[in-house]
Amino acid sequence: MTLSASDPPAVDWAESGVVAVTGHPDGPLLVPPGRAAGRARELTSWIATVAPAITVDGARLLAERAALNNLHRRGTVSAGGRCRLLPTADGWAAISCARPDDPLLLGALIGATINAEDPWPPVADWVRNHPGAELAERAELLGVAAGPVRHEARPNAFAPMAPRPVEGLLVVDFSSLWAGPLCAHLLGLAGARVIKIETPDRPDGARRGNPAFYALLHHGHESVVLDPTDPAGRRALRALVDAADIVIEASRPRALAGFGLDAGTATARGAVWVSITAAGRESNRVGFGDDIAAAAGLVAYDAAGEPVFVGDAIADPLTGLTAAALAMSAPADGSGVLWDISMTDVVATTLTSDPVPRTRRRGGRWFIDADNGPVPVAEPTARTPPGPAADTGADTARVLESLRIPAP
């Protein structure tokens, strides 16, 4: 199954809202390379052929969180403020400090104790004197979300198979933050029953963020909390996976394997398993939307030739859209399939060597100079959540009872 072509890249980028969040705070808006916005539109167009009720614009989804959080362009600091682009001894690198333990991990990476309130000065000094390859090796070993900026365009390996409706199918969603939940959200809009799984000690970190954004992605989903350290909880988790038509995970495979859950067993009985990782199931790298996109090469360049972040964690929504399209397809013979979705690869497949157009400001508005004339740059926009998300674990007993799974 192929994706249909979209508008010219300049139009897609201009209408996405991403360009309005790309560049230095006191400089011009910058246009990203490649055609990620166009790919996002192609994906939602394809999804609409499977589920006509879904009328979202994939390009605009890329900046939806920026709109809800009122984020702005910050140059070498990510729009959300938790990632930095720093010069290395041989280029540039993207490094995130988003989790409570990250200052400690960054200290281990550079071999020094750092101030958790402001870890960046010593990290920047260390990175400046070391090559990107060394940073990547240490980051993967320690579980730090970081990597050197590379530009390696790759062919698209994520084309959907034969489309299949998902209305009435059971989706078990172990993911968190943005990419996986966006996939689950679109499956829910297409009519699937979505059960969100969290554990007592690791609720979705997005619950601590903007409640409107969380509600947008999770309204209508059922919330289940189970403890995998308890034998009865593990049995219930396994039973939920055994009942699922589609499983979504967004962690390294060993996480669910540690709970006794196996992708191979699920796909052998005909389920679709959507596995979202930073760099593929064989890699130990961790990452978030900003550092993954930048390290994969989706950065814009200022007049001095230095990189800046593109939009807000753009690898997340781009991956979520890709995952949803793949989950709405299946082998023609009805067999199961494991989708090994590397966020890095998803981004890299959108890169091209085409010239990047410039922007100009005229009459108080920004425009992109395109072949067919200037295209006005839109601000980020967001949909309105239709209602609240379920409280953590609110549906546990009812879900288990409905599926005839013994409660822990």
Side-chain angles (χ1 to χ4, degrees):
M1 186 72 184
T2 58
L3 302 176
S4 59
S6 61
D7 293 322
V11 174
D12 292 323
W13 279 124
E15 295 179 352
S16 70
V18 170
V19 175
V21 198
T22 302
H24 293 287
D26 55 353
L29 301 184
L30 298 175
V31 182
R35 51 186 314 276
R39 177 67 55 77
R41 274 191 162 158
E42 292 167 3
L43 287 164
T44 47
S45 294
W46 188 89
I47 287 170
T49 65
V50 183
I54 298 181
T55 58
V56 296
D57 180 343
R60 295 185 185 276
L61 289 185
L62 300 179
E64 193 163 50
R65 191 176 72 170
L68 286 170
N69 289 343
N70 194 29
L71 301 181
H72 304 282
R73 63 190 191 276
R74 301 176 66 178
T76 56
V77 178
S78 65
R82 296 183 176 182
C83 191
R84 297 287 192 278
L85 280 165
L86 300 173
T88 67
D90 56 356
W92 287 80
I95 302 176
S96 287
C97 185
R99 301 164 296 186
D101 291 342
D102 278 343
L104 182 64
L105 293 173
L106 287 170
L109 186 144
I110 67 173
T113 301
I114 61 178
N115 180 1
E117 299 300 319
D118 185 16
W120 296 110
V123 172
D125 287 342
W126 186 92
V127 170
R128 188 179 298 112
N129 293 291
H130 292 80
E134 183 179 353
L135 168 67
E137 183 179 357
R138 291 192 177 205
E140 184 166 328
L141 180 65
L142 293 167
V144 172
V149 176
R150 298 190 175 106
H151 299 270
E152 299 177 359
R154 301 174 192 177
N156 184 16
F158 302 111
M161 296 182 182
R164 64 149 184 182
V166 297
E167 185 174 1
L169 297 187
L170 178 63
V171 177
V172 171
D173 177 23
F174 288 96
S175 69
S176 60
L177 300 179
W178 193 356
L182 176 58
C183 172
H185 165 65
L186 293 169
L187 294 175
L189 291 181
R193 178 187 183 184
V194 180
I195 298 174
K196 182 175 182 66
I197 308 295
E198 296 168 275
T199 62
D201 60 339
R202 293 199 69 178
D204 186 343
R207 288 186 181 273
R208 301 190 299 270
N210 187 320
F213 181 66
Y214 189 85
L216 182 61
L217 296 186
H218 294 88
H219 173 72
H221 300 181
E222 298 165 280
S223 175
V224 168
V225 171
L226 291 168
D227 186 356
T229 65
D230 173 62
R234 290 167 69 95
R235 286 193 295 271
L237 281 172
R238 191 175 300 114
L240 278 168
V241 170
D242 288 343
D245 299 293
I246 301 171
V247 177
I248 304 170
E249 65 164 329
S251 56
R252 287 173 286 181
R254 68 189 186 199
L256 290 190
F259 300 164
L261 305 176
D262 178 60
T265 300
T267 57
R269 64 169 177 78
V272 170
W273 191 288
V274 177
S275 174
I276 298 172
T277 58
R281 290 173 67 84
E282 298 301 317
S283 171
N284 287 320
R285 182 186 169 193
V286 300
F288 301 102
D290 286 306
D291 61 84
I292 289 173
L298 185 50
V299 291
Y301 286 91
D302 63 17
E306 296 187 349
V308 301
F309 284 102
V310 169
D312 168 39
I314 193 170
D316 273 304
L318 191 60
T319 301
L321 287 166
T322 301
L326 297 178
M328 292 183 191
S329 73
D333 62 3
S335 59
V337 61
L338 167 62
W339 291 108
D340 184 358
I341 305 174
S342 157
M343 295 176 70
T344 299
D345 287 349
V346 168
V347 172
T349 63
T350 70
L351 299 178
T352 69
S353 58
D354 297 334
V356 177
R358 294 182 178 275
T359 61
R360 68 176 64 195
R361 192 172 178 85
R362 186 174 64 190
R365 289 199 66 182
W366 284 99
F367 294 82
I368 297 177
D369 289 332
D371 292 340
N372 295 326
V375 183
V377 175
E379 291 294 321
T381 59
R383 297 165 294 155
T384 300
D391 292 336
T392 309
D395 305 302
T396 303
R398 183 177 58 79
V399 166
L400 295 181
E401 182 180 3
S402 72
L403 296 172
R404 299 181 179 180
I405 297 173

